[in-house]
Amino acid sequence: MGSSLISSDSLSLGLAKPARRLLAILEHVFGGVVAFGLALLLALVLAGFVMRYGFSSSILGAEDAGNWLYVAITAVGAPLALRSALAMRLDIIHVRLADRPRMVADVVAEALTLLSGLILAHGSSTAARIMGGTNAALGLPQWVPFVVFGIGGALVMLFVALDLIAKGRPEILIGAAALASVLFWCGQQGFLLSLPLAPSLAMGLIVVLGLVVAAPLPHAFFAAAYLVIPLGSALPEPALVNSALSGMMKFLLLAIPFFLLAGILLTKSGVAGRLVQFADALVGHHRGGLAQTTLLTNLLFAGASGSSIASAAFGAKMFQPELQARGYAPEKAGAIIAATSVIDNVIPPSIAFLIMATATNLSVGKLLFGGLWAGLLLAIALFVVIRLTCHDTPVSARSDGRTRVTLGLRAIPAFGLGIIVVFGIRLGFVTTTEAAAAAAFYTFLLSLFYGLKTRGLYDAFRQAGTEAAAIALLIASAAPFAFLLAVDDISGAIGAVADLLGSGPVAVLALSVAILLIAGLVLDIGAAILLFAPLLLPLATATGLDPVIFGVIIVVNLMIGGLTPPFGVLIFVVAGVTRIPTAALFRSALPHVLTLALALFAICLFALVQAGLF
């Protein structure tokens, strides 16, 4: 018996090293493919822009080619995100489990991920066989993106298996593979179960289970959508995959990787550092000077990145050490960084508003303009709470006017990015995707000018491509859930509850805020927008609320959720960089959460005034 265990352990250790080596090779190769794919996508969109404005012509099939290329980037990049924060695992419960329950949770979590990969691979293959016809613009079969997406599912399974073997956990892999196989087999048998529960609600419960055991959120969505097929789901496996692809294959969403790339290049080139110096010269002498500098930097940086997660990661690396050196407690410094990064997904360009426009067909330009004044209001609120809570913190010396002007001039290249995006979109000169591509190209030129080396450029394209793939997979995975919510008329149920509360704009707004605050506790902002914006927006507009203002309320509401337990994605990003316990960060962020909630209340009052209630 003892020799058997020793033999098993030796085999496990013997397989771990080659698995780690193979995983490293695959990550290197696929990282290069993602970087090249993003560069090709950028070139394609820029070429279309030049053809349209320079030659009054167009590239035949450019939009379809861009969408298909984005699918390829997602298929190759999504497996790379499995071992990072981009996997969107909720581990706040998982880490508190005892050894044996944690092992069971690991088996379930990895089984859901393997099942997701299997669904994508098998479902895409089935859909590709059904799919007929040829894309008229590209001259290629319509099944091509399905096959590519299916390859992505197979890569997910491969990466999960290699990762578990590399960690010396073959027992988890065996248990997860067995459970995933049984679940997949059950779904293929055509069983039909009768339960007093709508498929969409059952799917929601399975997703919650996935979150509890720390399964990656997108894969929990896919697995849950498949597991409710026996409960009468309107989405059989091929339709599930088709719904997912339809959810992500939208030309507007190509702006996401470009905005991510712009923000990363600004940081790597040192241009973002100039924003920090300029912000410090303006507000560093105030009470809580460095904290105010962090806030103003996020306000300025928001015009470049459009991503609160990117801003939180940047702030944690840039400001955390200096804040602690100036006397801030580590958890207080981290909470300030997380809270101030909320602004980046509200001030344009905002990835959250791009997703909102995709989910609701609202005007991107109007949403971004609405986000501008809302973001400024949030910044004022945070300025006040920092000033009140950081009264005992050392301040910087006041900079003279000449220094401020000099540093402002040095930061002008970063401001050019916001001008390209906001005014280009708002005045109708360019589409959102073209503006994002122009912004990415602009920061690429800035990076070359400021001497960023080839390796730095490659890393930026790889990182942006991987992050964009993770976001695209989340958007794709949420699409089937959104479809089932519509089929089960969950919007009607919410409307019935609103009727009980009075059915007016106040009741609908109060109910919407409550639902979104709860959703923000456990869901990523992108997933929550995709699921709840289409449900709540019709109810709001029916009572006379302005749809754009209501869209702003949704985003601000969910961004506050980024600071609240248990998910609190911004808190987790800061914790991941600084290694500060999440519980301490959540506690320290409470004053900022309450202040942002007051700002949200002010925006809701404005919405009611616009609706003619006051």
Side-chain angles (χ1 to χ4, degrees):
M1 181 73 173
S3 61
S4 174
L5 289 174
I6 294 173
S7 170
S8 176
D9 289 342
S10 300
L11 178 62
S12 173
L13 293 174
L15 292 174
K17 188 173 181 179
R20 283 194 296 269
R21 188 180 299 117
L22 179 57
L23 198 56
I25 292 172
L26 291 176
E27 287 181 338
H28 178 73
V29 172
F30 290 152
V33 173
V34 166
F36 176 75
L38 180 54
L40 188 60
L41 183 61
L42 178 60
L44 175 65
V45 175
L46 288 175
F49 173 76
V50 171
M51 289 293 292
R52 186 154 68 93
Y53 287 97
F55 302 95
S56 299
S57 182
S58 62
I59 300 176
L60 183 64
E63 287 198 12
D64 287 340
N67 287 330
W68 287 20
L69 186 54
Y70 196 23
V71 172
I73 293 172
T74 303
V76 178
L80 298 177
L82 282 173
R83 297 201 297 170
S84 70
L86 294 170
M88 304 178 197
R89 295 178 185 264
L90 174 64
D91 63 353
I92 193 168
I93 298 174
H94 178 268
V95 296
R96 288 169 170 75
L97 296 175
D99 289 343
R100 189 174 294 278
R102 186 184 302 167
M103 180 177 291
V104 174
D106 288 342
V107 169
V108 175
E110 301 305 336
L112 292 176
T113 308
L114 288 171
L115 178 61
S116 170
L118 187 55
I119 293 162
L120 295 182
H122 184 266
S124 296
S125 173
T126 304
R129 289 196 300 270
I130 297 172
M131 184 67 61
T134 301
N135 184 287
L138 300 177
L140 295 172
Q142 294 283 16
W143 50 257
V144 169
F146 290 89
V147 171
V148 173
F149 203 45
I151 291 173
L155 291 176
V156 165
M157 291 188 287
L158 175 62
F159 270 64
V160 169
L162 288 175
D163 184 51
L164 290 173
I165 294 172
K167 290 176 179 176
R169 307 187 74 189
E171 71 284 357
I172 302 295
L173 175 58
I174 294 170
L179 179 57
S181 299
V182 170
L183 293 175
F184 182 75
W185 179 85
C186 290
Q188 295 294 309
Q189 301 310 303
F191 297 143
L192 189 60
L193 304 177
S194 179
L195 294 178
L197 196 63
S200 59
L201 296 181
M203 180 177 173
L205 293 176
I206 296 172
V207 171
V208 170
L209 172 64
L211 290 174
V212 169
V213 299
L217 181 58
H219 298 294
F221 271 129
F222 279 126
Y226 178 81
L227 292 174
V228 297
I229 292 176
L231 300 181
S233 167
L235 285 175
E237 189 185 23
L240 189 161
V241 173
N242 184 62
S243 175
L245 274 178
S246 298
M248 66 171 288
M249 287 176 60
K250 297 177 181 177
F251 193 68
L252 173 63
L253 294 178
L254 301 189
I256 293 176
F258 299 147
F259 282 137
L260 290 172
L261 178 62
I264 294 168
L265 286 174
L266 272 188
T267 303
K268 288 185 174 294
S269 65
V271 177
R274 296 175 177 230
L275 287 177
V276 175
Q277 294 171 353
F278 179 52
D280 188 51
L282 291 177
V283 299
H285 60 282
H286 287 289
R287 182 179 296 168
L290 190 57
Q292 301 289 12
T293 299
T294 305
L295 170 61
L296 185 56
T297 299
N298 275 301
L299 189 62
L300 298 175
F301 191 62
S305 75
S307 167
S308 290
I309 291 177
S311 176
F314 168 75
K317 294 173 185 175
M318 175 71 73
F319 291 112
Q320 182 75 25
E322 189 62 25
L323 283 166
Q324 289 184 220
R326 295 198 189 184
Y328 290 79
E331 62 275 11
K332 185 173 184 178
I336 290 170
I337 291 167
T340 55
S341 65
V342 164
I343 295 173
D344 291 70
N345 245 342
V346 181
I347 293 281
S350 161
I351 290 175
F353 283 128
L354 294 179
I355 297 174
M356 173 72 69
T358 302
T360 61
N361 293 320
L362 290 175
S363 164
V364 177
K366 291 181 179 179
L367 284 171
L368 293 180
F369 190 72
L372 179 61
W373 65 260
L376 293 175
L377 176 62
L378 296 180
I380 293 171
L382 288 171
F383 178 86
V384 172
V385 72
I386 288 173
R387 189 169 179 84
L388 292 176
T389 58
C390 299
H391 56 277
D392 58 345
T393 304
V395 297
S396 304
R398 179 187 291 269
S399 299
D400 57 43
R402 175 172 296 185
T403 300
R404 291 179 179 179
V405 170
T406 301
L407 292 175
L409 291 174
R410 292 182 72 242
I412 281 178
F415 297 142
L417 194 61
I419 293 172
I420 291 173
V421 174
V422 177
F423 287 98
I425 296 173
R426 183 62 180 167
L427 298 178
F429 292 147
V430 291
T431 67
T432 304
T433 301
E434 289 171 342
F441 185 63
Y442 174 78
T443 53
F444 175 77
L445 295 179
L446 280 181
S447 299
L448 293 178
F449 180 79
Y450 287 113
L452 186 63
K453 303 299 182 184
T454 303
R455 181 68 194 189
L457 291 171
Y458 166 78
D459 288 342
F461 275 85
R462 183 189 189 280
Q463 180 182 344
T466 304
E467 291 179 359
I471 294 172
L473 190 67
L474 175 65
I475 292 171
S477 67
F481 196 4
F483 178 83
L484 291 179
L485 288 171
V487 169
D488 293 336
D489 195 27
I490 301 302
S491 177
I494 295 173
V497 174
D499 286 339
L500 293 176
L501 298 176
S503 72
V506 174
V508 169
L509 196 56
L511 182 60
S512 298
V513 168
I515 290 172
L516 292 169
L517 284 175
I518 294 171
L521 296 178
V522 295
L523 287 179
D524 170 81
I525 181 173
I529 289 172
L530 290 166
L531 296 177
F532 292 101
L535 295 178
L536 299 176
L537 186 63
L539 297 175
T541 54
T543 63
L545 292 171
D546 183 272
V548 172
I549 298 176
F550 188 74
V552 171
I553 290 172
I554 290 176
V555 170
V556 173
N557 206 324
L558 292 173
M559 286 311 305
I560 294 174
L563 302 173
T564 55
F567 193 64
V569 63
L570 299 178
I571 293 292
F572 276 93
V573 169
V574 172
V577 175
T578 62
R579 304 303 177 190
I580 299 171
T582 54
L585 287 172
F586 280 127
R587 284 194 299 271
S588 296
L590 183 59
H592 307 91
V593 171
L594 295 176
T595 303
L596 291 171
L598 288 175
L600 173 63
F601 180 72
I603 297 173
C604 290
L605 285 179
F606 179 74
L608 294 174
V609 171
Q610 287 290 99
L613 191 64
F614 300 114

